[in-house]
Amino acid sequence: MKLYWCPQTRSSRVVWMLEELGLDYERMTVDLREPDGRNVPGFAQASPMGKVPALEDGAVRVADSAAICLYLADRYGDGLAPAVDAAERGRFLYWMFFSPSTMEPAMAEKMGRWQTNTGAYGWGDFDRMMTTLEGGLAPGPWLLGERFSAADVMVGSTAAFMRMFDILPASASVNGYVDRCLARPAYQKALALDRAP
């Protein structure tokens, strides 16, 4: 298995996922900051948009962190995704894609100081996103209650990013959630690889 990645990008959440699953993989560095950095054999076939992360697993090629994390959870199991016919699968899928569809656009809105149109924007606005996240964490400690899942990898990594860039409001529930995510050994390993020279 090959992970096309670049430090300090959304690739870190896929490293976290791979580490949670205990899978063997090879990191193939794609240096997005260099003009020729994308010229890595196999990368163009795995990532149609030339973005990281992308994964090659035998004949399977998949790009986008949410798609990769869902693929890994479904294929390699270990309890990080409810079964396709499980009642909680709908809730799981909602939170799996909450990060790219709602959190990330809301973060861009906040950082860019955009004027929002909550009726037209699919993510609503930053405040609505935060209220929804707090509600989702209310049963706690994870998005599926007692069960940690791939959705926590997605949402937790984004919430940690928000805190790192000082745009996470003083929400006790979300900050406590970030602390629980950061305490996971697999996430610590992913963060250490991000910092490694």
Side-chain angles (χ1 to χ4, degrees), residues 34 81 111 148 157:
E34 292 295 326
M111 294 169 88
F148 177 85
S157 61

Side-chain angles (χ1 to χ4, degrees), residues 60-136:
V60 174
R61 308 284 183 279
V62 62
D64 186 271
S65 61
I68 295 168
C69 287
L70 182 59
Y71 165 77
L72 291 169
D74 283 344
R75 175 143 188 202
Y76 294 101
D78 205 27
L80 291 182
V84 173
D85 59 352
E88 64 183 348
R89 180 73 176 193
R91 181 176 173 85
F92 166 75
L93 289 173
Y94 177 79
W95 291 113
M96 264 312 290
F97 295 96
F98 188 75
S99 179
S101 70
T102 304
M103 293 178 80
E104 292 178 16
M107 287 167 40
E109 165 208 317
K110 180 87 167 171
M111 294 169 88
R113 297 187 177 114
W114 300 348
Q115 290 295 320
T116 56
N117 180 340
T118 59
Y121 296 172
W123 67 91
D125 63 19
F126 187 85
D127 293 338
R128 190 172 182 184
M129 177 275 293
M130 282 300 302
T131 299
T132 303
L133 179 55
E134 288 171 333

Side-chain angles (χ1 to χ4, degrees), residues 32-50:
L32 300 176
R33 295 155 186 105
E34 292 295 326
D36 296 328
R38 288 178 170 84
N39 295 339
V40 177
F43 177 57
Q45 291 75 32
S47 180
M49 288 194 58

